[in-house]
Amino acid sequence: MGPSFLKWIQALLLSFFYAHGSCSSVEQKIYVTLKNTTPCVRLLNATHQIGCQSSISGDTGVLHVLETENDLEWIAETGPHAPYMVLMESLAFTRCCVYTELYGPELANCNATVWKSTGERLLSYEDFPFPIFSLFSLPDDNETQVIRKLCDPLMDYNVWATIRPINATAKGHKQNESMVIAATRETFDYIGSSRMVYDMQNNKSVIDFDNVHSFLEIGQVGLWNKRNMWMHSDPISRRNVSVNEEVGSLVSNIKSAASTLNLSLDEPNATQALPPSSFQRFLRVRPIPGVVLADHQSSFINKYYESLYDTAEYLKVSYPPDLSPEEQLEYETEAAKLLYGFLVNSNNSYFRSLLPRDIVSKERNSIFSLSPPQYYVSLSQNQQPKSVTTFVKYVLANMTGTATSLNQSQCQNPKDVPGESKDLYLYDWVYGSESENHTKGEPFCVRAPVRLAKAVSPAFELQQYGSKEYSTWTESRWKKIEARIFLVASPQLQMLTLGVGIAVLLVSLLGTYFISSKADILFSSSHDAPNTTY
Amino acid sequence: MTVAVFFGCAFIAFGPAFALFIFTIARDPLRVIILIAGAFFWLLSLLLSSLVWFIAVKASNADDTKLQKGLLIFGVVFSVLLQEVFRFAYYRLLRKANEGLAAISDEETSPISVRQMAYVAGLGFGIISGAFSMINILSDSLGPGTVGIFGDSQYYFITSALMTLAITLLHTFWGVVFFEGCEKSRWWVIVVVVCLHLLVSSLSLMNPLYEGSLPPVYVVTVGMAVWAFFSSGGSINNLSQLFTRKI
């Protein structure tokens, strides 16, 4: 038993080295957790729900790659291993494919003018009783969730700036001749503009309605190829004679300005209603003369406006293939730089040069990514503005502000410097443009009349959770959303395991009973007591 | 569906131990006590060996995979030796207890024989070691997934259950043979038991090559069963007596 046995052991140990990979837990051998996914989440307001929801303990299905439309029949009807989880290209994610007869197309359209002919592509504002994950990754703004009640209100910040500085502490007072540029977070029922209007009505904003002389909204102007823009106005408020006159003069002013730029501007049919726009929230309060500039006469040209597909890929933004990221950034015009930053790649030298140095040099949770910023309004987390809002803020600061000669400490504490006031301006020590060899920017202090205003629906401020006046969209509370891929044992193997188990149990019960009942015979040696007897 | 796998594995791993407990242990409080105490002794050995292994792993370089594998093998060998040391310690304790039991007994003899104690103590070792090796696997067997997405064998759960079953039975037989060897001062018996324990444990290091580990373990189990039968007073004569009586 000695030497041969040792050899045995040696052989065994060698085979262990060969066969055994690493000692990891069983779960790691079973599941592959999908990383870089963007889940679809459940959004709710007082009356409706959209987004996705899984069963209470998650959904499981056989993964099936949808290659052709013929696979649909297999998945929905003939396939023997239902339910299925479908893996498809986002292009195939259309109403015809996702909706079966179970979910009929009951979408109500507005009766007069259909602004958004959604076409075949499924957009973000639908309700699915099953989970959906997008495998192309979007930057994740939601690393930590602030949980309040069962749902959390969607919120972000509005960005606005004035041409002339106005005192931020003097709320509700008359400010003369100030012009406001606001970039609001409008998705989900005008959250941004309704909040702005609410603040103006309740003297919580530095401007109020008496300050508003007229309104010029720049709507969707991205896709005008024919050098033809449309000036939409509101037929209802134009019944008022003075408003009608003001709108007329506004239109002629814009037209004369546009003619110098070789732009042709037209007005749609006078009876056509105002397209969806922030201006509508202001008109609800009082008739204000105003115009909405857009690239569409009636229905939207951009079919994917404010949806998951409102991306460079679907807007057909493309660059010559041999350009480096920096060359793409500098391609064509100044406005194209913005387009590049907001649609293609937010981590570019132009955006970096506009932002404060401590944001640019932050290594962890950087708001820069090699993809566009996240446009979903999402929840409040640490009361911080979302990355896209931050970009808009500093782009506006760059356009409306001025570079000052203040040094870094003065920039952080401008109230000690004569002639400077934090009530009038935003001061930020920005990164500055990078030199040729891509090392570091040359920071300077920018002073701009730019402000952030909280854009959370007034319904939550007023605690009117059933409000029909204001948006009540919330995101349903969730702790962890994950998708994982795993194998399932075949029914044969499962039944084999169960069968062997039951057989072992029965045999051992019978065998033990038999042996213990006969133990006095089995274990009766001449001089010792039996073993397993009872 | 994976509930089937869970119950199948649970029945395989713990069915025999359950049957033995029901029919031979449960009705005698003294046996229950010896069983639980045996399990406690095994736990103590596990505690000590895991402590040593933990210190060894923490003190060593975690990136050196060859060293870590060596440490794992060392841990297995050390744990086996420690288990056998505690089996011997438990034997000594039971001998002492037996004397005490005999002293307070009415009939001047102990209410339980050393062979019975050996069997019960061995089963205690077996049940607790089986439970420790199987509980985590059982919880994973509830699914919904099964092992195999990285190319591992799909028979992982059932072979683990079968291995646990063998280990439980082996501990019982080893207990019987070991105590008999101690009683009769046949030290070679103890050496063989320790060696077989080492062999079985190192066979499990061959996993996931189940063809290489399971059959030898079951050969050892059957051999140990026969040995335990004879060392606890069984004989061919008894067997033939049983069958002739039955006919």
Side-chain angles (χ1 to χ4, degrees), chain B residues 41 82-92 121-122 125 170-172 174-176 178-179 193 197:
Chain B
F41 265 71
L82 210 60
Q83 283 177 43
E84 295 303 329
V85 167
F86 270 81
R87 201 196 296 278
F88 184 72
Y90 191 43
Y91 164 76
R92 301 290 302 181
F125 267 56
L170 274 171
H171 265 294
T172 314
W174 285 332
V176 170
F178 188 98
F179 278 39
V193 165
H197 194 170

Side-chain angles (χ1 to χ4, degrees), chain B residues 159-240:
Chain B
T159 47
S160 300
L162 286 169
M163 196 77 182
T164 305
L165 160 64
I167 293 284
T168 309
L169 291 178
L170 274 171
H171 265 294
T172 314
F173 301 145
W174 285 332
V176 170
V177 173
F178 188 98
F179 278 39
E180 182 76 7
C182 291
E183 276 293 284
K184 300 200 168 138
S185 300
R186 287 182 192 144
W187 301 116
W188 64 269
V189 171
I190 293 164
V191 171
V192 171
V193 165
V194 173
C195 287
L196 282 177
H197 194 170
L198 277 172
L199 171 71
V200 168
S201 296
S202 7
L203 278 170
S204 74
L205 289 174
M206 280 181 75
N207 291 340
L209 232 139
Y210 300 124
E211 301 85 355
S213 66
L214 266 190
V217 167
Y218 269 81
V219 169
V220 173
T221 310
V222 171
M224 281 309 303
V226 174
W227 189 4
F229 173 70
F230 283 110
S231 87
S232 57
S235 61
I236 309 233
N237 194 21
N238 288 353
L239 271 180
S240 60

Side-chain angles (χ1 to χ4, degrees), chain A residues 157-168:
Chain A
Y157 287 85
N158 291 328
V159 188
W160 57 270
T162 52
I163 295 299
R164 291 192 186 176
I166 53 176
N167 194 333

Side-chain angles (χ1 to χ4, degrees), chain A residues 142-314:
Chain A
N142 298 321
E143 281 185 348
T144 50
Q145 297 287 341
V146 184
I147 291 166
R148 208 169 74 192
K149 303 188 206 82
L150 284 169
C151 310
D152 303 298
L154 300 177
M155 77 150 283
D156 196 4
Y157 287 85
N158 291 328
V159 188
W160 57 270
T162 52
I163 295 299
R164 291 192 186 176
I166 53 176
N167 194 333
T169 54
K171 289 191 173 160
H173 287 244
K174 286 227 171 196
Q175 314 273 351
N176 292 322
E177 283 193 74
S178 51
M179 192 167 154
V180 179
I181 304 163
T184 52
R185 298 307 300 268
E186 289 299 82
T187 31
F188 302 106
D189 297 344
Y190 304 111
I191 291 177
S193 57
S194 67
R195 178 54 187 259
M196 198 156 198
V197 169
Y198 171 81
D199 285 347
M200 284 164 70
Q201 280 179 303
N202 293 282
N203 290 345
K204 289 179 178 173
S205 174
V206 289
I207 45 169
D208 62 22
F209 271 90
D210 297 333
N211 303 137
V212 181
H213 171 261
S214 56
F215 201 103
L216 170 63
E217 177 170 349
I218 299 174
Q220 303 174 51
V221 291
L223 295 177
W224 53 287
N225 329 342
K226 295 169 192 158
R227 300 215 155 233
N228 196 9
M229 298 270 266
W230 298 89
M231 291 180 290
H232 299 268
S233 55
D234 178 39
I236 299 166
S237 58
R238 285 184 77 168
R239 284 178 203 152
N240 181 321
V241 180
S242 68
V243 169
N244 195 23
E245 273 174 17
E246 289 280 357
V247 172
S249 70
L250 198 60
V251 164
S252 60
N253 278 347
I254 297 170
K255 268 189 176 167
S256 67
S259 62
T260 60
L261 296 169
N262 198 16
L263 257 175
S264 102
L265 280 167
D266 286 309
E267 279 186 280
N269 188 337
T271 56
Q272 182 178 291
L274 196 65
S277 55
S278 309
F279 184 35
Q280 290 188 340
R281 293 304 303 207
F282 290 81
L283 285 173
R284 278 194 188 193
V285 179
R286 65 169 69 166
I288 301 168
V291 165
V292 176
L293 267 183
D295 58 7
H296 55 91
Q297 183 183 11
S298 55
S299 64
F300 291 178
I301 291 176
N302 180 3
K303 285 192 291 182
Y304 311 131
Y305 182 59
E306 287 193 344
S307 78
L308 183 66
Y309 298 103
D310 200 356
T311 60
E313 187 184 349
Y314 295 100

